[in-house]
Amino acid sequence: MVLILALAIVAIVLGIIGAVANGWFFLLVIAIILFVADMAYAGIRWYQGSGQHPTR
């Protein structure tokens, strides 16, 4: 969970830098790709982890 949060924060920071800095549009693109990949990874982990709890 910490990895997902850290990657999301890095993606947001890169996106802000890429949007504000002149000529650094590629950082914005990298941030968007990183954020989408991070959300996909989080969704896969959440989906796979939801059905593995034993009943009591």
Side-chain angles (χ1 to χ4, degrees), residues 7-35:
L7 285 176
I9 291 171
V10 167
I12 291 169
V13 170
L14 285 177
I16 291 171
I17 293 172
V20 173
N22 190 15
W24 287 46
F25 181 72
F26 70 95
L27 277 182
L28 181 61
V29 173
I30 291 171
I32 291 170
I33 292 169
L34 181 62
F35 188 74

